Amino acid sequence: MPITGAEADRLRQNYEQGATRSWLAWGPYLSERQWGTVREDYSPDGTPWEYFPHEQARSRAYRWGEDGLAGICDRAQRLCFALALWNGRDPIVKERLFGLTNDEGNHGEDVKEYYFYLDNTPTHSYMKWLYKYPQAPYPYADLVEENARRKRTDGHAFEYELMDTGVFADNRYFDVQVEYAKVAAEDILCRITVANRGPDAAELHVLPTLWFRNTWSWFTDAPKPVIQGELTQGQNGQTKLGAMRATGPAGDTAVTPMTLYCQAPYELLFVDNDSNARRLWDSPDSPPYPKDGINDHIVSGAATVNPELSGTKATAHYRLHVESGASAVIRLRLSADAANTAPFGTDFDATFATRLAEADDFYTALGPADLSEDRRLIQRQAYAGMLWGKQTYRYVVRDWLTGDPAGEPAPPQRDRNKSWTHFYAEDIISMPDKWEYPWFASWDLCFQSVVLARLDPQFAKEQLLNLLGEFYMSPDGGVPAYEWAFSDVNPPLHAWAALRVFDIDKQVNGGDGDAAFLAEILRYCLMYFTWWTNRKDPSAKDLFEGGFLGLDNIAVIDRSHLEDLEARLGTNVDMYQSDATSWMGLFSLHLMEISLRLSANGHREYAPLAAKFLQHFVFIADALNKGIERRSGGQVSVWDDDDGFFYDVLHIDGPPEDFILLRLRSLVGIIALFPVTSLDLADIEKYTSAEINRRLEWFRHQHEDLLKTVLTVSTTDGDSHLLSFVTPDRLRRILSRVLDESEFLGPHGIRGISRAYAQNPFRVDVHGVELSEQYEPAESSLGMFGGNSNWRGPVWFPINFLLVETLRSYHDFLGDAYTVEHPTGSGRQRTLDEVADDLAERLIGIFERGPDGTRPVYGGTETFQQDPHWRDLILFYEYFHGDNGAGLGASHQTGWTGLVAELLRR
């Protein structure tokens, strides 16, 4: 049944209106970190963190985007609104989140703040965000110095977090909650609630800020917008109402004039969103009221704000004195109605109540109805994080490489992404983590789109189409990985994601589904598939490579930089990757499935494509199972029959030529299970069924041996077939490893590599070069790939999610009669569906409060486990401790960890 209700209907109607999309005109599209990004890096040596550090962010204008706390903006990010705070003791106003750079952190970059996405709706009609602001001076220097010490002295040391500094002792902090509710598309209410959790009264300066993104400093004679302030005095000289009226440059119709109404501010402060050239570069040519003028005025009383109440950045200054345990509320209204004489009337709080009730109805309808209260809380905060994760992403590679008309010429050494000069992005994109990864990542976005499809199917479809469209995809068919290196390679999951989004769209909106979307995805994926076969199969044997493929440091060598090993060996090295070949098998099956869906929709012209990709799948499966054996003259095989597992193979050019099996049991081998689907010829459209049958008959006559591994025919229904890289017997052998608690199966999911390597590290000798790898269940002790992720032991949601889905696919064909021992050695036999359910429960259990009242995600952090003001706030980390489920890595990567919301639906 389609989801109905005020919010669902509003979203549906919004898309039916076409290009206006009014209710999505404003949203949480502001980044949480623009400094330290590739886009803002104009250095000759490509060092974004050093070129534009946090220390400069308050004083230096951004070129490509903006950032802030609880920020919102219009779709083009021309006009922005966010919160700033000052506790009277910090050296600077808190305008943006602080964190350590990749070099500063003892495990890479890491935000050092506590903030939470509590609620959001697809049209952003209601949004809620929470920040915990210490009353003591924020320990900037302590965080930098202690993490540097740990990095220098102990690679295994945990990160030094804000909680560890003692700054929250005695609960001396403010809970600052920001809520938004839309009266209409361009009429947005904001309610800021400040609660003093400490034992004593405390003062807080609250600075809601409105500003224009700087679009004028980079071009000659570019016109500037303006924000003009007005103050209406009440009785006894007290300010009753403040208004900031923002209008774009003359003649610029792209910017809707907006007014920020401020209830009883202490004062209004205005500056320009221009760089403070005097502070940054000791230049006399500096504006009188620069970007950091409000900061300097608040902190030190400097005369750095415009007394004329005019500029391109403005704030309403509130000075709150909050008693212990008490709260104070600030009300604001950002509206296209410049003539509202009662912006804070009775409709203000009533609108919040209405929008919150609509949000409750929407998520209740989304269900499922039988979720416990705690699971419903987890799911809703996961969805909130997905929606808060939207960001206006602007990056024009050609302009970035050549420099701006009013800027200095680009240094010739700047060549990052130089082969992507066609790339032009100015879109709302779902980010993995708006602080740690404030840029899209291609395979992350596939997982994110699946979760987002439950909330906003059209937005999910747009995410996939953008990535494959002509402004992103390279002319040769490659898909950009992420801004640090567009030419890196991620797993090709776009067809998989498109099918999932298509199915979810049907559930959410009813009907037969968006066949036009599938057809468009297929056209782009044909180019992408061709790119993979031309670029990532150097031997032309259907044995693929691809480098790290999103798994960063999982291998015993850096798979993206084999030249390091080549330099040590003095000869050429190739790698035949089990996972790369498996991803391409999966890609083939999903392109076949899309072709079948379209054929069933009345488009017979897709039937030959279904047969074509069936053929691709068979040949790729044969290559994985037998190709290396043939290529090496029987020396090695990707499938190791002694171990019952799949491995990567190194090819040493020689002389002598050599093939070395890297017997490291990791997710690389488990991914070979993923290419699987059931094919019932009786259920397929007749013309297409005949095409598939003809192709199968061709294989039976020409290459009968190729079908033995990949094709299993039902013993009860001759039309029902299982297509997979592994036979049911091999599946059982692999799962005996996967479901072994001494190897992969952890209390909260499948680990990155086998736990067997904890005490006995994997070692291999490659022609005199000794390589080794050890199980590390938490952070990585090595700096490979920046040291900010670790696939050598922790649990990662995306691969676990695909494994759950894979087990269900096998069960759909093999049924209840096929069982495996689970866990291995327990003596208990379980169907594959029961194993999938158990694995899903282990993953959900990371966030769920257990019988002892604690959530594994927070490990031994007592404040998060026990304090009533913390214990129900959920962070969706990037990955999780392989032995206890504690959260690790990026702390707000609702991105793919938001998949828990899908798991909760079963």
Side-chain angles (χ1 to χ4, degrees):
M1 289 288 292
I3 295 176
T4 58
E7 174 62 19
D9 294 344
R10 181 163 47 235
L11 179 69
R12 205 169 283 120
Q13 293 163 8
N14 186 76
Y15 282 113
E16 290 170 358
Q17 292 171 4
T20 56
R21 297 187 180 177
S22 57
W23 276 81
L24 295 171
W26 280 77
Y29 311 140
L30 200 65
S31 178
E32 287 167 354
R33 179 175 61 81
Q34 187 66 18
W35 59 274
T37 61
V38 166
R39 281 155 288 150
E40 300 296 337
D41 177 27
Y42 282 74
S43 67
D45 51 354
T47 51
W49 293 108
E50 291 74 23
Y51 180 77
F52 203 136
H54 176 270
E55 173 61 21
Q56 292 188 3
R58 70 180 182 275
S59 305
R60 188 172 173 181
Y62 293 128
R63 169 65 176 87
W64 293 98
E66 295 288 339
D67 56 20
L69 305 176
I72 62 172
C73 63
D74 59 62
R75 291 185 65 86
Q77 205 177 92
R78 293 290 297 276
L79 186 61
C80 310
F81 173 85
L83 181 66
L85 303 163
W86 188 54
N87 58 14
R89 304 180 71 183
D90 280 352
I92 58 173
V93 169
K94 179 71 69 175
E95 294 183 79
R96 55 189 50 80
L97 299 167
F98 174 75
L100 304 183
T101 69
N102 184 268
D103 284 342
E104 290 174 332
N106 64 322
H107 295 293
E109 62 268 29
D110 187 49
V111 68
K112 300 299 183 185
E113 307 269 16
Y114 294 113
Y115 58 103
F116 305 88
Y117 309 126
L118 298 185
D119 216 348
N120 209 324
T121 59
T123 64
H124 313 303
S125 58
Y126 179 76
M127 299 182 280
K128 183 162 63 174
W129 179 95
L130 177 67
Y131 176 65
K132 292 185 178 288
Y133 187 35
Q135 294 169 5
Y138 186 92
Y140 291 101
D142 183 31
L143 286 165
V144 173
E145 292 165 4
E146 176 57 20
N147 277 285
R149 187 194 66 78
R150 295 186 182 193
K151 181 175 184 177
R152 189 172 58 250
T153 60
D154 182 4
H156 293 279
F158 284 109
E159 294 176 351
Y160 184 59
E161 303 291 3
L162 185 59
M163 188 74 71
D164 301 326
T165 68
V167 77
F168 289 101
D170 301 322
N171 288 330
R172 294 183 186 275
Y173 70 92
F174 297 103
D175 264 341
V176 182
Q177 179 177 280
V178 180
E179 296 172 278
Y180 296 99
K182 292 182 180 178
V183 178
E186 294 177 317
D187 191 358
I188 306 164
L189 311 181
C190 178
R191 183 168 64 193
I192 302 170
T193 304
V194 176
N196 181 1
R197 302 299 183 200
D200 302 311
E203 185 174 80
L204 180 65
H205 299 251
V206 181
L207 304 152
T209 304
L210 185 71
W211 75 100
F212 281 102
R213 174 169 56 84
N214 188 322
T215 57
W216 53 89
S217 292
W218 330 108
F219 309 97
T220 56
D221 303 321
K224 291 177 69 170
V226 65
I227 305 174
Q228 194 70 45
E230 299 174 6
L231 282 171
T232 302
Q233 298 294 325
Q235 294 181 351
N236 302 321
Q238 291 188 347
T239 301
K240 181 180 181 181
L241 182 66
M244 305 174 186
R245 305 192 184 279
T247 54
D252 188 347
T253 58
V255 179
T256 301
M258 299 287 283
T259 298
L260 179 64
Y261 296 99
C262 315
Q263 187 180 51
Y266 174 70
E267 59 183 339
L268 301 182
L269 304 173
F270 285 74
V271 295
D272 280 306
N273 188 17
D274 289 307
S275 295
N276 185 342
R278 186 181 303 278
R279 175 179 180 265
L280 293 166
W281 306 295
D282 198 26
S283 169
D285 186 21
S286 193
Y289 311 115
K291 178 181 177 178
D292 57 8
I294 293 171
N295 174 90
D296 294 351
H297 177 78
I298 294 292
V299 174
S300 59
T304 49
V305 294
N306 190 346
E308 300 299 320
L309 301 188
S310 179
T312 50
K313 176 182 177 182
T315 193
H317 183 195
Y318 291 85
R319 299 179 63 171
L320 304 181
H321 182 85
V322 188
E323 295 293 333
S324 172
S327 297
V329 177
I330 295 170
R331 294 177 173 83
L332 306 119
R333 186 168 192 160
L334 181 61
S335 176
D337 181 2
N340 193 329
T341 57
F344 304 107
T346 55
D347 70 322
F348 191 92
D349 288 333
T351 298
F352 271 100
T354 299
R355 295 291 178 257
L356 179 56
E358 292 170 353
D360 290 341
D361 291 344
F362 176 80
Y363 285 112
T364 298
L366 198 61
D370 60 350
L371 282 182
S372 68
E373 182 179 348
D374 194 43
R375 290 192 168 198
R376 194 173 298 278
L377 176 147
I378 294 166
Q379 187 184 61
R380 186 146 172 182
Q381 290 189 38
Y383 284 141
M386 297 302 303
L387 292 169
W388 274 99
K390 293 183 179 182
Q391 178 183 310
T392 298
Y393 183 85
R394 302 180 65 258
Y395 187 26
V396 182
V397 170
R398 184 180 297 275
D399 292 352
W400 179 80
L401 284 171
T402 57
D404 296 313
E408 295 182 5
Q413 305 97 310
R414 288 184 62 230
D415 62 357
R416 192 192 299 272
N417 297 326
K418 66 180 179 181
S419 62
W420 294 80
T421 53
H422 70 284
F423 185 91
Y424 188 105
E426 193 168 18
D427 300 290
I428 308 296
I429 303 181
S430 172
M431 298 292 126
D433 180 316
K434 282 170 66 172
W435 192 94
E436 189 142 347
Y437 306 118
W439 28 261
F440 72 86
S442 64
W443 81 309
D444 297 56
L445 196 55
C446 292
F447 293 108
Q448 291 156 217
S449 296
V450 170
V451 184
L452 286 164
R454 289 283 172 203
L455 307 170
D456 186 345
Q458 184 60 32
F459 179 71
K461 287 182 273 188
E462 289 173 359
Q463 298 300 285
L464 297 174
L465 289 171
N466 280 345
L467 205 58
L468 296 172
E470 62 274 19
F471 290 111
Y472 288 63
M473 177 180 275
S474 67
D476 63 2
V479 171
Y482 41 77
E483 67 178 32
W484 285 84
F486 280 155
S487 294
D488 274 357
V489 185
N490 277 182
L493 285 171
H494 306 78
W496 168 81
L499 283 166
R500 300 300 169 267
V501 169
F502 176 83
D503 289 338
I504 293 170
D505 184 22
K506 287 199 298 183
Q507 296 171 29
V508 171
N509 290 316
D512 296 328
D514 189 348
F517 161 69
L518 276 188
E520 192 170 3
I521 285 286
L522 179 60
R523 288 193 290 272
Y524 286 125
C525 280
L526 289 175
M527 292 185 283
Y528 191 28
F529 187 90
T530 303
W531 179 87
W532 263 89
T533 56
N534 288 339
R535 295 297 186 91
K536 298 301 169 184
D537 179 17
S539 65
K541 300 292 185 182
D542 288 316
L543 289 164
F544 293 88
E545 60 185 29
F548 76 103
L549 282 177
L551 305 186
D552 293 7
N553 67 341
I554 199 166
V556 73
I557 56 174
D558 184 343
R559 300 192 299 175
S560 289
H561 296 94
L562 294 178
E563 64 271 16
D564 297 340
L565 181 59
E566 289 176 332
R568 299 172 71 181
L569 293 174
T571 188
N572 293 330
V573 175
D574 297 315
M575 177 173 273
Y576 300 106
Q577 295 184 215
S578 174
D579 56 338
T581 306
S582 300
W583 289 127
M584 281 299 286
L586 188 68
F587 199 5
S588 300
L589 284 183
H590 288 134
L591 291 177
M592 181 191 76
E593 177 66 21
I594 291 175
S595 301
L596 291 173
R597 300 278 189 102
L598 292 171
S599 178
N601 203 256
H603 299 280
R604 285 187 173 183
E605 64 271 23
Y606 291 103
L609 278 179
K612 168 185 169 62
F613 284 107
L614 169 62
Q615 180 171 314
H616 276 297
F617 171 78
V618 174
F619 282 131
I620 293 170
D622 175 67
L624 185 75
N625 285 286
K626 294 291 185 179
I628 285 291
E629 188 174 348
R630 291 191 293 267
R631 173 76 175 81
S632 65
Q635 186 178 346
V636 296
S637 171
V638 174
W639 167 257
D640 186 276
D641 203 50
D642 291 335
D643 286 0
F645 213 74
F646 287 97
Y647 299 113
D648 286 342
V649 173
L650 269 181
H651 170 228
I652 312 298
D653 211 15
E657 184 182 35
D658 196 10
F659 295 84
I660 299 175
L661 191 64
L662 300 177
R663 287 189 174 87
L664 172 72
R665 291 191 297 281
S666 74
L667 293 177
V668 166
I670 296 174
I671 290 168
L673 299 179
F674 294 173
V676 58
T677 193
S678 296
L679 190 63
D680 194 329
L681 297 178
D683 287 345
I684 299 174
E685 183 269 330
K686 290 183 178 179
Y687 176 78
T688 308
S689 179
E691 282 283 324
I692 297 292
N693 242 329
R694 278 195 292 271
R695 195 59 54 97
L696 289 175
E697 285 302 312
W698 179 84
F699 271 111
R700 288 189 180 102
H701 285 92
Q702 300 296 326
H703 299 285
E704 185 177 8
D705 57 312
L706 269 61
L707 289 183
K708 290 181 180 178
T709 300
V710 303
L711 188 69
T712 303
V713 182
S714 171
T715 57
T716 59
D717 181 0
D719 286 327
S720 183
H721 302 74
L722 178 75
L723 292 169
S724 61
F725 269 15
V726 300
T727 63
D729 287 341
R730 281 193 178 180
L731 172 64
R732 194 186 308 279
R733 292 192 66 192
I734 295 170
L735 288 180
S736 71
R737 299 275 195 187
V738 174
L739 304 179
D740 188 336
E741 292 173 314
S742 67
E743 291 218 33
F744 287 99
L745 183 62
H748 297 290
I750 301 301
R751 304 172 173 116
I753 70 171
S754 171
R755 196 171 185 269
Y757 305 121
Q759 300 302 321
N760 299 291
F762 170 76
R763 301 184 190 279
V764 62
D765 182 281
V766 180
H767 289 208
V769 175
E770 186 75 22
L771 302 174
S772 65
E773 180 167 330
Q774 187 170 23
Y775 171 78
E776 295 184 285
E779 301 283 12
S780 172
S781 60
L782 302 176
M784 191 185 295
F785 289 91
N788 64 336
S789 70
N790 182 27
W791 288 80
R792 297 182 171 186
V795 171
W796 290 77
F797 248 80
I799 302 298
N800 273 264
F801 183 85
L802 289 174
L803 180 57
V804 169
E805 185 180 82
T806 295
L807 293 172
R808 298 201 196 286
S809 295
Y810 278 108
H811 179 265
D812 288 344
F813 180 85
L814 297 172
D816 290 346
Y818 185 95
T819 63
V820 296
E821 190 179 31
H822 177 62
T824 300
S826 67
R828 296 191 295 271
Q829 292 292 313
R830 297 286 183 266
T831 69
L832 295 182
D833 211 31
E834 290 172 332
V835 175
D837 286 344
D838 178 69
L839 181 54
E841 286 295 315
R842 290 171 187 249
L843 293 164
I844 293 167
I846 291 172
F847 308 100
E848 191 172 26
R849 188 179 296 121
D852 63 352
T854 66
R855 303 182 190 275
V857 64
Y858 290 130
T861 308
E862 285 301 309
T863 299
F864 271 103
Q865 299 290 17
Q866 305 298 336
D867 192 304
H869 298 300
W870 295 75
R871 65 197 304 259
D872 288 332
L873 304 173
I874 310 298
L875 290 176
F876 299 89
Y877 284 84
E878 184 180 5
Y879 50 99
F880 302 88
H881 195 291
D883 296 337
N884 61 37
L888 300 164
S891 56
H892 291 74
Q893 193 155 339
T894 317
W896 61 24
T897 304
L899 290 164
V900 68
E902 274 297 291
L903 294 178
L904 282 163
R905 293 190 55 78
R906 181 165 173 118

